[in-house]
Amino acid sequence: MKAIQILAERQMAVVEIEEPVLGAEEVLLRLEYVGFCGSDLNTYLGRNPMVKMPVIPGHEVGAVIEKVGEKVPEGLKPGMVVTVNPYTNCGKCASCRNGRVNACQHNETLGVQRNGAMRERIVLPWEKIIPAGRLDSRTCALVEPMSVGFHAVSRAQVTDIDVVVVIGCGMVGMGAVVRSVQRGATVVAADIDDDKLALAKEMGASYTINTLKEDVHERLIEMTSGFGPDVVIEAVGSPVTYQMAVDEVAFTGRVICIGYAKSEVSFQTKYFVQKELDIRGSRNAQPSDFRAVIHYLEKGTCPVDALVSCVAAPEKAEEAMQQWASAPGKVFRILVDMR
């Protein structure tokens, strides 16, 4: 069967691989749409140290159940549209022991530490299959990245009296914007791209800041009557935005870190103490976050078409990736049509 494989730095090809074998507690999926995410871009550019080449990318999934194993619960049936929880959990580490399986010490994400879903069919444990309700398979491919943003809002314990700044308005950041709005917070979206900021406003942000064109500190002080934001969610992963988050958050505020900085970050650590900050990491998502995103998308209020920058055939996947690499700030999501 056909699969997309990243062979080496800046090399991608459509290859033939063996058909998967269905086990008794597994589900055979027919992939329809699979999204490229930032980790896939970094893999393609040779910047992902967690990946061993060659690798099949893809963990943002819209699929249809083709067949189920004999020990799969009756709720999963052939023909159902589903998405996938792409993470593994060992059940033995400290994270798993504490019920936070999304942060498993030994996690292997599809398309990163193990071969992913950008293929015609895949077999997965039934526990990782998430029914998508009324969503179509194209929309399903947006669920996983938005769920990461939803999870960050849970980590921040956002409430309706908070001012929340989301730095970075890609798909994950948009998820954080939406979930913060749902919780009643006043949301400020910050990014370097005006188109993304306009979309964040459409998705519920009360204010926007272009961090290249505006004085971030002055704007936030003005918006918050001098206090600063209660919560800052960092969804970029750069030294500049990490420093911005710590500098701008209010005294006794919460800083939530999603993005991975690719280089060392220097901090004035006095702010950690003087502000008595809660600085929290946020990794992947919980099953409840997936369900919450599906519930949101089922309402039909999300501008789904605006979030999909490009739909490419497998043979055009590398071309789409090259375009993303040349203008990373202009892309929300690239979907590959595996049908």
Side-chain angles (χ1 to χ4, degrees):
M1 68 176 179
K2 182 164 58 179
I4 295 171
Q5 198 171 59
I6 300 175
L7 305 171
E9 182 177 335
R10 293 183 182 270
Q11 294 182 38
M12 185 183 297
V14 178
V15 300
E16 286 292 324
I17 63 172
E18 293 184 359
E19 292 280 352
V21 177
L22 180 65
E25 297 185 0
E26 293 178 322
V27 175
L28 175 64
L29 299 181
R30 183 178 75 253
L31 282 305
E32 295 203 340
Y33 292 93
V34 183
F36 276 128
C37 82
S39 63
D40 298 320
L41 177 61
N42 284 326
T43 299
Y44 179 71
L45 295 175
R47 300 173 183 169
N48 193 338
M50 294 184 291
V51 171
K52 182 179 179 180
M53 301 287 199
V55 66
I56 298 171
H59 57 257
E60 302 174 358
V61 171
V64 174
I65 295 177
E66 193 162 276
K67 191 175 181 180
V68 299
E70 59 187 20
K71 294 185 179 180
V72 171
E74 292 184 3
L76 297 175
K77 299 180 182 298
M80 290 180 65
V81 176
V82 298
T83 190
V84 166
N85 181 332
Y87 326 120
T88 65
N89 53 283
C90 69
K92 299 176 182 179
C93 70
S95 299
C96 291
R97 182 180 62 183
N98 291 329
R100 290 162 64 176
V101 296
N102 57 292
C104 174
Q105 182 178 350
H106 306 292
N107 167 66
E108 294 184 351
T109 299
L110 284 173
V112 185
Q113 294 93 345
R114 58 185 172 137
N115 279 324
M118 213 159 275
R119 57 179 91 181
E120 290 184 274
R121 284 172 293 282
I122 191 171
V123 162
L124 294 170
W126 70 262
E127 296 93 339
K128 298 300 181 181
I129 309 303
I130 303 173
R134 298 189 300 274
L135 300 186
D136 58 45
S137 58
R138 182 173 178 267
T139 305
C140 281
L142 305 179
V143 170
E144 190 274 342
M146 292 193 77
S147 73
V148 176
F150 272 45
H151 181 66
V153 174
S154 294
R155 292 283 293 142
Q157 297 176 299
V158 170
T159 73
D160 58 352
I161 62 172
D162 289 325
V163 175
V164 178
V165 175
V166 178
I167 306 175
C169 294
M171 278 295 301
V172 171
M174 286 298 186
V177 167
V178 168
R179 194 57 163 166
S180 297
V181 170
Q182 288 182 334
R183 293 194 174 195
T186 300
V187 180
V188 183
D191 201 279
I192 62 174
D193 185 83
D194 286 331
D195 291 337
K196 288 185 176 180
L197 291 172
L199 187 54
K201 198 75 176 289
E202 184 179 345
M203 297 179 76
S206 297
Y207 305 97
T208 62
I209 300 175
N210 186 312
T211 58
L212 287 182
K213 301 176 182 178
E214 302 175 75
D215 187 310
V216 175
H217 180 71
E218 286 189 4
R219 287 291 313 280
L220 290 177
I221 289 297
E222 175 188 345
M223 293 172 189
T224 61
S225 301
F227 291 104
D230 304 283
V231 176
V232 178
I233 297 175
E234 200 288 333
V236 177
S238 79
V240 171
T241 50
Y242 262 82
Q243 292 166 347
M244 182 188 298
V246 171
D247 290 348
E248 299 302 336
V249 73
F251 274 63
T252 67
R254 289 99 75 196
V255 175
I256 309 302
C257 306
I258 309 175
Y260 284 88
K262 307 301 185 295
S263 57
E264 292 186 0
V265 183
S266 298
F267 289 105
Q268 291 289 342
T269 55
K270 66 179 182 180
Y271 291 144
F272 296 9
V273 178
Q274 287 180 346
K275 292 185 176 183
E276 198 174 51
L277 297 180
D278 290 333
I279 301 176
R280 304 174 183 176
S282 183
R283 183 183 182 191
N284 299 332
Q286 291 272 21
S288 59
D289 299 309
F290 283 85
R291 293 196 302 271
V293 172
I294 290 169
H295 180 65
Y296 161 66
L297 292 172
E298 282 184 317
K299 295 177 181 178
T301 58
C302 178
V304 170
D305 289 341
L307 296 175
V308 179
S309 304
C310 169
V311 178
E315 294 75 17
K316 296 290 185 179
E318 183 170 22
E319 182 180 328
M321 187 68 88
Q322 290 170 345
Q323 291 173 354
W324 190 8
S326 66
K330 290 294 183 182
V331 171
F332 281 104
R333 267 303 172 269
I334 295 170
L335 302 185
V336 178
D337 186 346
M338 299 300 302
R339 295 175 297 173

